[in-house]
Amino acid sequence: MTPTSNDPTLAVVRLRRARRVLLTCHRNPDGDAIGSELALAELASSFGVESVIVNRDPAPVTLSELPGVGTVMVAETLPDDFPEGYDLVITVECPELERAGFNGLDQAPILNIDHHRANPAYGEVNYLDEEAPAVGEMVWAMFKAAGVEPSVEAATNTYVALATDTGDFCYSNARPRAFRAAAEMVERGADPPTISEWVHDGRTEASVRLLGEALKNLRFGCDGRFASLAVDEEAFARAGADSTDTDEIINIPRAIGGVEAVVFCKQWEPGLVKVSFRSRGRVDVCSVAASFGGGGHTNAAGCTFKTDLETARRQVETSLTELLGGQG
Ligand code: 5GP
Ligand code: MN
């Protein structure tokens, strides 16, 4: 049987047993993914366990101030010394192993750490908790379970994870558990105003120009109950933007009164469309993403289409119309 638990202890025990760990996360990493990886690297090091962080895609510039972020490697393939040089892989926030974007990760034992819905527990050990506000909070719980004092850096990285995944403690996952962990992180040295500046005021000019491109074709469905945005390769080129510049754009139409869901379709290479969904309250966009082979959380989800932009956009709009129609 594959050990699976929402208790951090099993994960701590497994990490302690390792000698050299490869840490990775989902493609197009966000604050929760990077913050959690960096804190896990510190926890590993406190056990005398070596670790290497390798991601398939770069992190957005808004995460470039995170302590230790310079150690994160970005590569198209796994390191040359993999798997021989490692006795554990830790996947962070990968509801499917493929989401890491590397072939052959399963050649080493996997510790799977995630809070997404429907993670199939593909690891040798699975630390999974759908109720966790962020993986960063789960990693924080690992420090506590291990009896390791987190440094200011670990507190900062896990706070970034928690603050970004809860939308600055505004989304439906901002429950007491999130605030308790946040209070502890701040007590240990995380500084909310500094972190907020990094995450919100460190945007690139390209990301603001891309917002302009996206808003040019803003459209609505279901009498204004959902909004839809899209950017194609030409829009990316005009804005001078890449995949790391798309964060936050989706939140702009989400702030329009009466809008309950937003979909943002991004095509940055021909025939490949990455779709992001956001919603409010009980509007379950994860169910829509899952129907197209993706997943996520009730209020934030995503999926990928291998088709052209307008086809993907029409399909998700039709699904949102059905979803909202059913919830009248
Ligand atoms: P984002 O829109 O920020 O890329 O993703 C929103 C949420 O949906 C995140 O929790 C993310 O991990 C999840 N998500 C995005 N794309 C996919 C996907 O293709 N498959 C799954 N299972 N989850 C996704
Ligand atoms: Mn997360």
Side-chain angles (χ1 to χ4, degrees), residues 28-31 34 58-65 204 243-247:
N28 304 308
D30 57 9
I34 301 274
V61 205
T62 50
L63 300 178
S64 54
E65 301 286 342
T204 56
S243 64
T244 65
D245 293 308
T246 58
D247 275 19

Side-chain angles (χ1 to χ4, degrees), residues 32 133-134 157-171 182 185 192 195-196 199-200:
D32 194 18
N157 283 318
T158 49
Y159 184 92
V160 168
L162 186 53
T164 52
D165 251 34
T166 57
D168 292 320
F169 305 94
C170 291
Y171 297 158
M185 292 163 190
I195 291 169
S196 175
V199 173
H200 298 298

